[in-house]
Every structure is written in structure tokens, then in C-alpha cells.
Amino acid sequence: MAGRNAGLKRQLSLLSLVALAAGAVLGGWLAEAPYWFELTGAGAAIIFPILAVILVPIALAFAELTSVLPFSSSVDVWSGNAMNSTTGWATQWLFFLVQVVEPPLVAFIFVTAAGFFVDVPVAVQPLIAIAIMVLWYVFSNFSIELTGVMAIVLFITMVSITVGTSIYYFSSGHWEFTNISEHGGFFPHGIYGAVAAASALVLKYIGFAMTPTMIQETKFAAKKMVIVILAGLFIPAVVYMLATVAIGGLAPHDVIAGLSVPEPELVDQLGMPAIIGLLAIAAGLLYAFTTLMGFWTSSARVLYGASQLRQLPPWFSRTNRHGQPYIANLVVLAFGIFFAAFTGTNWVQYTYSLSVVAAGAVYFLGCLSAYRLRTKHPEWKRPFRAPIGRPMFAVGMLISAAITVVGVTLLPANAWPPIIAYLIIGALVPLAMRFYRSRVNPDYTPIILGPEDVETIEETERNPHA
């Protein structure tokens, strides 16, 4: 195939990556809102901005690590340098789980939206989700620049719709603060519900951590990644707060928790113009599609990065003439199909719990890496240096540990079998790679990239056939 191994191409602007990060964090509330209101009512409007602030130490750790080690392998190369290659692979495999469960999740949102118009049989729902992923797989093999431009257009459109519909709800005459203040208030299930919601809703911010995987495809300096990461926290915090209060005032929390797609259903029940409900559905689908785009891209780069470190076969780092890792994209599709088939109808709680546990572990290892590298390699140039330094990273580790512990308590029984199977696969991969090296390429030993390799990688990207 002409153009293979063309290398990743630097085509993503700062704005496009901000749109991808914030858009990916915002995806999903069309169908996920009932779960939020079930856990903690309109209190989610308070929890979202608090979570954004709480996650800042982790965000700053990721931003510093990206600036000093700007590789698609991201958490893998960070942990590898801070600890060892084995820990790097373990971190990368957990990170891949966090990323790869998102595409099937948002694909199910399309199914939920379709259910507002027609009755979709349960057996057909996974098939529709899989069809959505197959369509994106085809598109994913074209230029990353198209994804970036699309992200900007979709982000501006969907946020504009959300702000517009929220303003309409406030002024419609149907919005009443008593729907929030009464019926248990902002936190109808008390402290336990608030803590459970905070742990679960951490998932909504996972998008900020995916952006370092795309650093080898950006047109801006690595030190500016902090702008992208913080935007991925605080832009969604404001939008979520506005939308949650706007929806929460339309009906008591228990009523909203019992709806499949709250916004259009409430619009219909309250006799609002049908166009408002249709706009809410359109915005919800755009959010879902942006999330699908972002996490799919990141998942493929996680595999690409592991191959770059020779922890996976070289096939995963093969790119087509558009600079897309097409084999990695195919593997992401395969995992998406697996999770879509395994999840069943309880997909929201299932995916939230699964992702939160893995994300907490990845955050912890990322903060630990930043902490250790400050001591292990103080001489390394850090274009972005996180304020406060190691104490900040220590706080990030404590927050990450809390996320993981609480997340484990929320895991439904049907989440354990795929987790166990996934961990077993991760443990078998290094063994399979030993067999690959003994039979195919003895020189293909794992490597750990450092700051000194940045220029070499960039030169390889400019001249992939040199």
C-alpha cells in the first residue's frame, strides 16, 4: 500500500485540541443525566466545578510530563522513565482501558436517542452501536486535520445549542427552583450520594487526560498543553453546571431519574415547542460524536505509543498515507465491539464504574511519575513546570487513590469478569512479545524514550522514509 509508514502528521492546532478535549468531556449527558440525578439530584451542578478544581493537581502533573516527554506513548513513557518499562506497560494498558470503553459508551447514546422516536429491541441495540463504530472506523483512517476541524465546528455548535436551550428553560415559565430546593434539595441522598456521584462523575473529566497522546500531531509547543488540559476541565464544568440547573428546575430529581432522555421528554411533557426537544437531541448527539472522535483517536495513539516503545509489535505503529495508524484503529474497533456486546442494557453504570477504577490508577501512577522524575532527573528541561512541585503531585496521588477506592465500591457484579479478562490479557502481552522476539526479531527489545529522543522522533516524522 503506497504511503504506509508515512508517520504521524502535525496537523492539530491548539484550538482543535481544546475542542476535542472539552468536547470529549462534555459528551454523553443526553442519556447519562438520569444516572446523575439518581445519584445526587441537581447537586451535580455543584459537584462538577468542585471536581474540576480537585483534579487540577493531576492535570498539572500531566501537563508537566507532556512538556518534558512529548510522546504519543504518554503515561507509558512517563512511568517507564520514573519506574521501569514493566510499570510503563501496566500504566499504558490501564490507560487503554479508560480510553477504549468510551467509544461503545457513546455509541449507545445514539441508540438511546433513537429510542425516543421508535422502539428499539434490546437485541438490536448493540448492533446499532457497533454499526456507529464501524462508520467512524472508516473515517478514522483519513487525515487527523479533518478530525480537528470537525471538532471545532461541532464544539461551537453544540455548546451554542446548550446555552440557548438552557436560557429558554429558565425563561419558559416551567422552570421552578422548588423542583431543586424541595424533594430532598440539591443532595437528596445526603453525603453518601454526593460522594458516590463525585466518584462516578470523575469519568466525565477523563477527556483531559487523553490529549497528551496526540502531542506528536500538534502544531504548537508542548508547553502549551497545559492550556488544553485545563480547558478540558473548566469549560465543561461551566457548561455542566448551567445545563444541570436548567434541567433540574423543570421537574423533581426522581422524575428526571426515571426518564430515558430527560431533555426532550420534559420538553414534550411540559408542552414546550418540539424544536427545543429536537435541538436538545441534536446537541446530545454532537457531544456523543465528539467524544467518540476524541477517545477513538486517543485509544489508537495509546497502541501506537506502546509500539513506539517496542512493547507491542511494529504493526501498531504503521501509518497510512494520511498519517493514521490503521492497524491500531482496527484493534480499537475490535475492542469496541467486545465491550458493546458485553455491556448489555446497564451500560451507563457499567462503563462509569469500569472507567473510574482504571482512571484513578492511571492518575496515581502519572502523579507518582511526576513526583519521582523531579528527584530522579532534576536536570531535565521542563518547558512547563507545575507550581509547588512535588507537594502538588503528592496531593494528586491522594486524590487519585480516593477515586480508585470509591470507584471499586461502585462496581456492579457484571463488571468484574471483563476486568479480570482484560488484566490477564495485559499480563500475557509481555510474554507474547518475548515469543515474538525469540522467533521474529531478537533486536526488538523494549526502549524507554527520553528528552534526548524528541528531536530524533521529530526528524523521523518529517522524513519517514529516510
Side-chain angles (χ1 to χ4, degrees):
M1 174 180 173
R4 275 188 182 174
N5 298 323
L8 299 177
K9 297 185 178 182
R10 294 191 174 273
Q11 298 177 327
L12 289 174
S13 66
L14 182 65
L15 180 58
S16 64
L17 202 51
V18 166
L20 266 175
V25 172
L26 282 165
W29 83 46
L30 179 68
E32 297 169 21
Y35 184 50
W36 309 349
F37 280 90
E38 177 186 342
L39 286 174
T40 191
I46 300 172
I47 290 174
F48 278 119
I50 291 176
L51 280 177
V53 173
I54 288 174
L55 291 171
V56 164
I58 302 169
L60 294 177
F62 275 55
E64 177 172 304
L65 290 167
T66 303
S67 74
V68 68
L69 295 166
F71 303 106
S72 293
S73 42
S74 61
V75 298
D76 194 337
V77 75
W78 305 341
S79 296
N81 276 282
M83 277 76 76
N84 52 57
S85 181
T86 301
T87 306
W89 166 251
T91 309
Q92 189 81 329
W93 191 241
L94 285 173
F95 189 52
F96 182 63
L97 174 62
V98 174
Q99 306 299 301
V100 83
V101 297
E102 289 293 322
L105 184 152
V106 295
F108 270 102
I109 292 174
F110 285 85
V111 176
T112 304
F116 179 73
F117 300 100
V118 296
D119 183 30
V120 182
V122 173
V124 176
Q125 293 177 9
L127 299 178
I128 296 176
I130 290 170
I132 295 293
M133 289 187 287
V134 169
L135 289 175
W136 178 252
Y137 163 73
V138 174
F139 191 89
S140 70
N141 287 303
F142 290 94
S143 171
I144 189 70
E145 186 174 22
L146 294 176
T147 300
V149 172
M150 186 182 297
I152 295 172
V153 173
L154 296 187
F155 179 75
I156 294 173
T157 302
M158 61 198 185
V159 171
S160 298
I161 292 175
T162 297
V163 172
T165 54
S166 296
I167 292 173
Y168 177 82
Y169 297 149
F170 285 124
S171 61
S172 66
H174 298 288
W175 192 92
E176 298 178 7
F177 186 68
T178 53
N179 283 324
I180 297 175
S181 61
E182 298 178 5
H183 314 285
F186 274 94
F187 300 101
H189 301 299
I191 295 298
Y192 173 79
V195 172
S199 176
L201 295 179
V202 165
L203 171 65
K204 300 311 304 171
Y205 287 105
I206 286 176
F208 85 84
M210 76 176 185
T211 49
T213 65
M214 303 176 208
I215 190 63
Q216 286 182 224
E217 295 165 278
T218 59
K219 296 187 288 187
F220 55 88
K223 66 180 180 181
K224 293 184 179 179
M225 184 59 77
V226 65
I227 298 172
V228 176
I229 292 176
L230 292 179
L233 287 177
F234 289 100
I235 293 176
V238 173
V239 177
Y240 274 136
M241 183 169 59
L242 173 66
T244 303
V245 173
I247 297 171
L250 295 178
H253 73 91
D254 56 337
V255 172
I256 298 175
L259 301 175
S260 297
V261 278
E263 275 195 82
E265 290 184 49
L266 288 171
V267 167
D268 184 53
Q269 292 175 11
L270 297 173
M272 299 182 193
I275 185 63
I276 301 298
L278 293 176
L279 284 172
I281 291 175
L285 293 179
L286 293 181
Y287 285 123
F289 192 67
T290 304
T291 302
L292 176 64
M293 289 163 48
F295 281 100
W296 187 297
T297 302
S298 177
S299 297
R301 272 62 186 171
V302 169
L303 296 175
Y304 177 95
S307 178
Q308 198 174 41
L309 299 181
R310 299 181 181 178
Q311 294 168 341
L312 289 176
W315 323 314
F316 290 95
S317 58
R318 290 178 182 172
T319 57
N320 62 19
R321 61 190 179 89
H322 300 292
Q324 290 287 342
Y326 58 95
I327 293 179
N329 280 331
L330 185 60
V331 173
V332 172
L333 174 62
F335 271 94
I337 292 173
F338 168 77
F339 282 111
F342 212 109
T343 297
T345 56
N346 191 28
W347 61 272
V348 173
Q349 182 186 0
Y350 174 94
T351 311
Y352 266 55
S353 305
L354 195 69
S355 300
V356 165
V357 172
V362 171
Y363 294 162
F364 180 88
L365 290 165
C367 291
L368 177 61
S369 298
Y371 185 97
R372 285 179 60 86
L373 288 175
R374 278 284 186 105
T375 303
K376 191 175 180 180
H377 290 290
E379 79 282 2
W380 280 359
K381 181 180 178 181
R382 290 167 170 81
F384 170 76
R385 195 174 182 88
I388 306 177
R390 284 184 294 176
M392 176 78 75
F393 304 147
V395 171
M397 283 187 275
L398 290 174
I399 293 168
S400 304
I403 290 170
T404 304
V405 171
V406 177
V408 168
T409 66
L410 297 175
L411 277 175
N414 68 331
W416 284 108
I419 284 180
I420 293 171
Y422 185 85
L423 293 178
I424 290 174
I425 293 171
L428 291 176
V429 169
L431 297 178
M433 287 304 298
R434 289 183 186 178
F435 179 81
Y436 173 85
R437 294 181 192 106
S438 66
R439 296 298 181 92
V440 180
N441 187 353
D443 296 326
Y444 194 73
T445 55
I447 61 173
I448 298 178
L449 297 173
E452 68 279 1
D453 297 304
V454 173
E455 291 186 7
T456 302
I457 294 294
E458 290 178 348
E459 179 61 30
T460 300
E461 290 170 347
R462 287 192 293 267
N463 302 286
H465 303 294

